[in-house]
Amino acid sequence: MKVIKFGGSSLATGAQLEKVSRIIQADAQRRVIVVSAPGKRHAGDTKVTDLLKELADAVLSRQDPLPLIDVILARYSEIQTHFALAEDVVAKLRAHLISLTQQTYSSAAYLRDAFMAQGEHMNAQLVAAVLKAQGLPACFVSPQTLGIVLAGQPGHVQVDPQTYRNLAQFTFPDADIVVPGFYAFDAQQRIVTFPRGGSDITGSILARGLHADLYENFTDVSWVYAADPHLVKGPRAINTVTYREMRELAYAGFSVFNDEALIPVIEANICVNIKNTNDPTAPGTLISPTKNVKHHHHITGVAAKKDFTALYLHRYLINAQVGFTLKLLQILSNYGVPYEHMPSGIDDLTVIIDKHELTAAKQQAITEEVQAQIQPDTLEWLDDLAIVMVVGEGLYASIDLVPRIMVALADAGVTPAVINQGASRISLMLAVPNAQAQAAVQAIYGLSSNHHA
Ligand code: ASP
């Protein structure tokens, strides 16, 4: 059995849905179909999820929601008309959306999640109707029926382990099941959503919980590329990437597959095949537990993500001080600030933080507490940094790769503020000024493409 997930661009128009239907029909093992909300039909278009976010804001500020509801439903009507489906399909969705504007919610955050989830909720019903109209046995199944339970609050949800016990009990109907991605319910039956792009996570949970042999993730590119095509011209395609490599690359900006979505499939050892709805016979990129590392010096990919801030501390004999790091992390934790990386030396320590986790007030308060409790000789904040991740299972076996990267960066005029050969042993992390991120990626990618680095 295969779980197959389609992203928003694969479901944006009737013509795209025809391709989806052909893909499902081409393989009888494709039994679990996870769908995103309709995405952009063309550059400049707006995703349904973003329209729903606007709708939530309109409801919160007590504006008339009907004009926006019409805009949103027009996206579904377009598909209904394309397939000449009965009109009541969309009429029911409309009535449902209107009824949501009249309900009460635990807080604004829960209201927002409930609305944003509707893109997937409505689309799964529409896709099921389309497939049925095409003669395919298919039915809509909600995350609630499957027993997907989420813990945590809006913005910070995790899958509750009960989910897997529930999924183990699920019996398949005599039809393929179409499941909305991106949201599920918490123990109080409230809708909560995953982070953006989170339909990938639903697919992964179902692949694990329903014991799929493969998780196919259909999107609008034929491959995961070794570098972002916006940063590097015509980057090479990656045929196979390991879970660990993909986690690091997804974390650092490869948006093809949500980085959190890898966890359930890793736990169950299920491969993920990234494929293209517009080119379904291309083999795509396989994300798998291991791969043959033929070229030991191989860089699998290089990614960059902007907008980090580093807190640099210097104090002689940091290494000899018991509890120094503990105190620092306690201060960050008191302000609810998670950290991303923490390279340290005998007298120095740098903590790299996602800029969006900080406000000027938090930064000031953290500075004061660190000074009072730790008394560093130097405390500096470095703003506007990008993280560049060089990733490859063969990285550690290479003797000269790091110096070659440094020379390539120097030649390109890039000055890394922090260098950390990752604890994961398969990545090298560099923090460079935001403005130098592209030059850094190009220089490192150039190295890997010219010399089989
Ligand atoms: N529709 C949601 C988003 O736009 C989730 C997804 O597409 O995976 O982020």
Side-chain angles (χ1 to χ4, degrees), residues 5 36-37 47 49 120 182 196-200:
K5 181 253 164 184
S36 285
K47 292 180 178 185
T49 308
E120 275 71 10
F182 186 46
R196 294 301 299 268
S199 297
D200 288 346

Side-chain angles (χ1 to χ4, degrees), residues 134-433:
Q134 306 255 298
L136 245 140
C139 63
F140 168 84
V141 177
S142 78
Q144 215 162 12
T145 307
L146 285 158
I148 305 180
V149 186
L150 300 183
Q153 289 86 40
H156 295 278
V157 291
Q158 315 91 41
V159 59
D160 187 306
Q162 179 61 34
T163 298
Y164 296 110
R165 291 191 283 277
N166 295 343
L167 286 172
Q169 306 292 319
F170 181 73
T171 38
F172 268 87
D174 282 337
D176 293 346
I177 61 169
V178 184
V179 184
F182 186 46
Y183 77 92
F185 293 80
D186 67 9
Q188 288 84 45
Q189 304 304 320
R190 290 175 298 200
I191 291 181
V192 264
T193 62
F194 289 117
R196 294 301 299 268
S199 297
D200 288 346
I201 306 177
T202 307
S204 187
I205 291 169
L206 292 181
R208 176 182 161 186
L210 299 173
H211 305 290
D213 300 294
L214 182 68
Y215 174 20
E216 293 180 312
N217 196 286
F218 275 79
T219 169
D220 53 7
V221 291
S222 296
W223 316 94
V224 176
Y225 293 98
D228 182 343
H230 299 106
L231 302 181
V232 168
K233 219 170 140 231
R236 74 165 183 276
I238 302 178
N239 298 315
T240 315
V241 57
T242 64
Y243 291 143
R244 309 195 292 169
E245 289 174 332
M246 193 62 210
R247 276 271 303 151
E248 305 250 359
L249 290 168
Y251 160 77
F254 277 31
S255 56
V256 167
F257 195 66
N258 183 291
D259 64 332
E260 283 184 40
L262 277 166
I263 310 295
V265 281
I266 290 177
E267 286 162 349
N269 235 13
I270 299 165
C271 292
V272 183
N273 197 354
I274 306 286
K275 285 177 76 84
N276 189 349
T277 301
N278 307 312
D279 182 14
T281 52
T285 296
L286 193 71
I287 311 173
S288 66
T290 52
K291 68 175 179 184
N292 278 336
V293 187
K294 265 204 248 124
H295 302 289
H296 267 297
H297 301 188
H298 194 79
I299 294 175
T300 302
V302 49
K305 190 173 172 190
K306 289 187 177 173
D307 293 338
F308 290 88
T309 298
L311 171 62
Y312 166 72
L313 301 179
H314 170 81
R315 181 184 160 136
Y316 286 112
L317 297 173
I318 274 187
N319 64 332
Q321 272 220 2
V322 177
F324 175 92
T325 322
L326 185 66
K327 274 190 208 156
L328 176 63
L329 295 184
Q330 188 59 55
I331 295 170
L332 292 177
S333 155
N334 292 346
Y335 288 94
V337 175
Y339 77 92
E340 308 287 318
H341 302 269
M342 190 171 54
S344 65
I346 48 169
D347 298 328
D348 309 85
L349 187 136
T350 307
V351 189
I352 298 180
I353 298 165
D354 183 336
K355 176 180 163 180
H356 307 103
E357 299 286 351
L358 289 166
T359 57
K362 271 191 190 178
Q363 226 165 315
Q364 182 58 34
I366 291 170
T367 305
E368 282 164 18
E369 274 199 41
V370 168
Q371 253 147 1
Q373 288 194 38
I374 299 175
Q375 292 119 19
D377 300 325
T378 313
L379 181 156
E380 258 174 56
W381 289 94
L382 310 170
D383 290 321
D384 299 320
L385 293 176
I387 282 184
V388 176
M389 281 286 198
V390 190
V391 177
E393 292 278 350
L395 221 64
Y396 259 71
S398 150
I399 310 167
D400 65 340
L401 191 57
V402 176
R404 283 171 51 218
I405 288 172
M406 293 311 148
V407 170
L409 289 175
D411 287 348
V414 176
T415 44
V418 182
I419 302 167
N420 190 20
Q421 190 145 11
S424 70
R425 300 185 63 86
I426 62 157
S427 67
L428 174 75
M429 186 279 281
L430 307 151
V432 304

